[in-house]
Amino acid sequence: MLKHRIAALAAVGVVTLGTVTGANAAATAAPAAPPPATTASLRVWLGLGAGESTAGSTYYPLEFTNISGHTVTVRGFPGVSAIGQTGQLGSPAGWERTTPNVTVTLTPGATAHTLLQIADAGNYGGVKQATAYALKVYPPGQKTATEIMFTFPALAVKGPVYLHVVGPIEPHVGIPGSPSL
């Protein structure tokens, strides 16, 4: 009789251990989502090349490369402003919401992009102009900016929006002249 009780208890113990092991396996099976990218985890740069020009504007891929040692995500639009000798020039960039936001996952070294349109300052008639020496870029969801050294004619006063971020950040490097740009 004692052998049967020990066998029964042993069987219950195996089932219980199996259940606990299964529960632990299920809890660890779903990895945590990668964290959002911070300004410090990204190298932000402008894909200059020739730029894509249309009447009155030039388009540049604005690139975001993950320089951290772990996977991060980006989603939405960056904040962009022109910077001159005395600070911000003109109004910050407008956002053209032509496509929905997607979450882009960036492994270490991977790049995502959006398109930056810079309208010719001369298009705005009598609006005072100045030389921009840099672009100040806030990655999506961040309150810390980085600067990209880049010289171009800009509007000196707030008012007309002459910088536009054309669509949210997308996966991969933006290539000037490619069908997606």
Side-chain angles (χ1 to χ4, degrees), residues 23 50 79 85 114:
Q85 289 180 332
T114 187

Side-chain angles (χ1 to χ4, degrees), residues 1 8 18 32 42 45-46 53 55 74 81 83 112 124 127 137 153 159 168:
M1 192 76 151
L42 297 171
W45 51 286
L46 202 58
S53 295
V74 289
S81 298
I83 303 298
Y124 297 92
V127 177
V137 180

Side-chain angles (χ1 to χ4, degrees), residues 77 94-99 117 164-168:
F77 291 82
W95 295 346
E96 294 190 17
R97 298 179 185 271
T98 54
T99 57
Q117 175 190 12
H164 296 275
V165 178
V166 183

Side-chain angles (χ1 to χ4, degrees), residues 19 40 42 49 60 74 78 84 93 104 118 126-127 143 149:
T19 304
L42 297 171
Y60 301 97
V74 289
V104 178
I118 301 176
V127 177
K143 295 183 189 246
M149 302 312 292

Side-chain angles (χ1 to χ4, degrees), residues 13-92:
V14 170
V15 170
T16 303
L17 287 176
T19 304
V20 170
T21 303
N24 285 341
T28 59
T38 63
T39 303
S41 67
L42 297 171
R43 179 174 168 258
V44 182
W45 51 286
L46 202 58
L48 294 177
E52 289 295 311
S53 295
T54 61
S57 293
T58 304
Y59 295 83
Y60 301 97
L62 183 57
E63 312 284 358
F64 299 82
T65 301
N66 178 2
I67 59 170
S68 75
H70 60 277
T71 301
V72 296
T73 60
V74 289
R75 179 182 178 88
F77 291 82
V80 180
S81 298
I83 303 298
Q85 289 180 332
T86 59
Q88 182 175 319
L89 296 173
S91 298

Side-chain angles (χ1 to χ4, degrees), residues 82-87 89 129-134 150-156:
I83 303 298
Q85 289 180 332
T86 59
L89 296 173
Q129 297 181 25
T131 300
Y133 295 101
F150 182 60
T151 303
F152 63 97
L155 297 183

Side-chain angles (χ1 to χ4, degrees), residues 107-155:
T107 57
T111 299
H113 74 282
T114 187
L115 194 59
L116 178 65
Q117 175 190 12
I118 301 176
D120 294 337
N123 293 347
Y124 297 92
V127 177
K128 184 178 176 186
Q129 297 181 25
T131 300
Y133 295 101
L135 291 167
K136 183 180 244 182
V137 180
Y138 292 86
Q142 297 300 300
K143 295 183 189 246
T144 303
T146 187
E147 289 187 3
I148 302 169
M149 302 312 292
F150 182 60
T151 303
F152 63 97
L155 297 183

